[in-house]
Amino acid sequence: MSQTLSAATLLTVPLAPLAGSLLAGILGTAFGGNRIGRVASHGATILGVLVAFILSALTLQSVLGGAHFNQTIYEWMTVGNLKMEVGFLIDSLTATMMCVVTFVSLMVHIYTIGYMAEDDGYNRFFSYISLFTFSMLMLVMSNNFLQLFFGWEAVGLVSYLLIGFWYKRETAIFANMKAFLVNRVGDFGFILGIGLIAAFAGTLNYSEVFAKSGELAAMGFPGTDWMLITVICIGLFIGAMGKSAQFPLHVWLPDSMEGPTPISALIHAATMVTAGIFMVARMSPLFELSDAALNFILIIGAITALFMGFLGIIQNDIKRVVAYSTLSQLGYMTVALGASAYSVAVFHLMTHAFFKALLFLAAGSVIIGMHHNQDIRWMGGVRKYMPITWITFLLGSLALIGTPFFSGFYSKDAIIEAVHASTLPAAGFAHFAVLAGVFVTAFYSFRLYFLVFHGKERYDQNPDAHHDDHGHGHGHDEKPHESPWVVWLPLVLLAIPSVVIGAMTLMPMLFGDFFKGVIYVDAARHPAMAELAEKIHGWAAMGVHGFVTAPFWLALAGVVAAFYMYMINPALPAAIKHMFQPVYTVLDNKYYMDWFNENVIARGARLLGTGLWQGGDRALIDGALVNGSWKLVGWVSGIVRRLQSGYLYHYALVMILGIFVLMTYFVWLNK
């Protein structure tokens, strides 16, 4: 691709997965008459995503060479002075996201061939994941808030379809409805933020909004003494809280494990949950103008990073442990955003995408090998049966806990350093949270690793195996086995960047010109990145120095603690659980947030709805207004009917009485 980016080529990137999705979804299902088989369905969707990935990689190459694209592709409509358009903004941030999304999606597509081989909804699943890729690409490539919102809602819709893929299971129905409703709460804040931008800036185009950011910063929110820019930024971030599963809108993400494993990797690694992080980084010119919004982001991110990690410690479902790990890592990214280290947040987004997709897919490989048992208490010793899954899972875990020279180390340590350098009031709490989170992450990650891959074999002792789907007739007492090549190949291809991508991209992404003109930081007010530049002098020096820093020793302590408790002295966890039973109960009930949502918010909303229906609709509207009006007319007509006798002498009498009353009034009373 040349240094100039063509609109036609860029349009091909999202449309290629869309074409594959339509082919598989229409012609490969009963909807279109099952005209094509499985091979054609997965072939079309994989080809579409492969084309998107190749073009994304070429686009990134062009962007690195100085290319830039910001144009309207299609003008949908004009309302007054407000233009609603479809357009692309291609810069280093967009190109990075395009490559990450398409590469992870490609790996997931290949992996799905093996994972969903026995499922009746094979073609439908491929259609959904390809449609998801299209939606995510439209989101990251947009140059305006309208298209951003389209992509935002489209990934939400497809995630609803994917989480509830096995739609005959009650748990899946509950999970996708929960994800849908919680995200609507976040989206309410998001659309309010966009609405305020449209109202006060008079445009939805990013560049035009950023050009007016100074004017927005000088305005107050009508009727209050709040800054308009603060209200806008917090509204936008509430949208990110829903999409990127930040406290207290995080509750949907662990339940979304009800969907097949490939979508766990697709939704939770590189795509949907990172959309909020990407959006805030894209909006850095706005967020930099509001310290109140940044403090809010810091606090929310810190709570998520630490307290969601605690929940990962007690989980026994292999996918849920990794899901809580995702929540915690998203908290880290959010904390980086709050510290104005936007480039570090995107850096961690990228490294995390590879090793978290690897961990989810490796977990799925274990589930296949264990004949669809997901309970880690009934695994053990899997290493000798599944060597490829074992080594890739280990590499992913080492990257996750921030082992020096692995990709996760560079991004996670940079976040900790950036928060430490931040001067915002909330930075102190955030720094404590991300440091403590290092130990917690290392502990639950290697608890999972040791229980699954080492120790005594327990796979034949499971009294009640939890099945990942409904169509596999394997007995859970069979020996584990390595997964087919279409499953382990993506693991190997994801393991490579999980190890090396951090070192390769550290300096250009954080301190080079990679994000120049894309991400804006007010260095005078938010000096975190400037201080970071003084401390970090290359990947090798940072890696060597990493062995003497607090995060390394905290991570090592977490690994050692997990090894001792689950390999050396397995009776200790049960003793600790008994000793701290109240704490365990709180964690087991997820801080009672699900209970609060279901019994206070949801039940309260239902009671309000029932009250409005019974009292407002039935009693007031139907009872008083509709039924009351005809009853009143009937009552009045009944009285009038009695007065209308039809006899002439009755009317003469009434006339005489009327004259008598009038004369009495005028003669006697009205003097």
Side-chain angles (χ1 to χ4, degrees), residues 527-539:
M529 288 305 296
E531 288 197 28
L532 213 59
E534 295 175 8
K535 293 181 180 178
I536 297 175
H537 304 289
W539 67 269

Side-chain angles (χ1 to χ4, degrees), residues 178-360:
K178 187 176 181 179
F180 190 80
L181 291 175
V182 172
N183 271 279
R184 295 296 71 72
V185 174
D187 291 350
F188 183 69
F190 189 56
I191 201 165
L192 282 178
I194 294 174
L196 288 171
I197 288 171
F200 289 94
T203 179
L204 292 171
N205 186 277
Y206 293 162
S207 303
E208 293 173 10
V209 172
F210 297 158
K212 294 183 178 181
S213 58
E215 297 175 31
L216 294 173
M219 296 180 189
F221 189 69
T224 69
D225 56 355
W226 303 340
M227 289 173 61
L228 177 65
I229 197 74
T230 298
V231 179
I232 289 173
C233 290
I234 289 177
L236 293 174
F237 181 67
I238 288 171
M241 284 165 63
K243 200 65 72 186
S244 294
Q246 296 298 292
F247 175 90
L249 301 181
H250 67 277
V251 293
W252 67 270
L253 192 139
D255 285 34
S256 65
M257 295 296 108
E258 287 296 330
T261 299
I263 69 108
S264 301
L266 195 61
I267 291 178
H268 304 147
T271 50
M272 178 174 153
V273 293
T274 59
I277 308 298
F278 161 80
M279 184 272 295
V280 176
R282 172 64 76 201
M283 300 302 139
S284 60
L286 300 180
F287 281 87
E288 279 299 280
L289 299 169
S290 174
D291 281 5
L294 292 175
N295 275 299
F296 180 68
I297 293 171
L298 268 175
I299 292 167
I300 294 293
I303 293 171
T304 309
L306 182 58
F307 290 95
M308 296 305 112
F310 287 144
L311 296 181
I313 295 172
I314 66 159
Q315 299 298 316
N316 295 314
D317 183 304
I318 187 170
K319 290 205 302 184
R320 284 184 183 260
V321 178
V322 187
Y324 279 108
S325 161
T326 300
L327 280 174
S328 183
Q329 295 309 304
L330 286 165
Y332 274 83
M333 298 175 209
T334 305
V335 164
L337 295 171
S340 292
Y342 306 99
S343 55
V344 180
V346 175
F347 183 44
H348 192 51
L349 184 161
M350 179 192 70
T351 61
H352 173 265
F354 296 116
F355 63 72
K356 187 53 57 72
L358 167 61
L359 286 171
F360 268 118

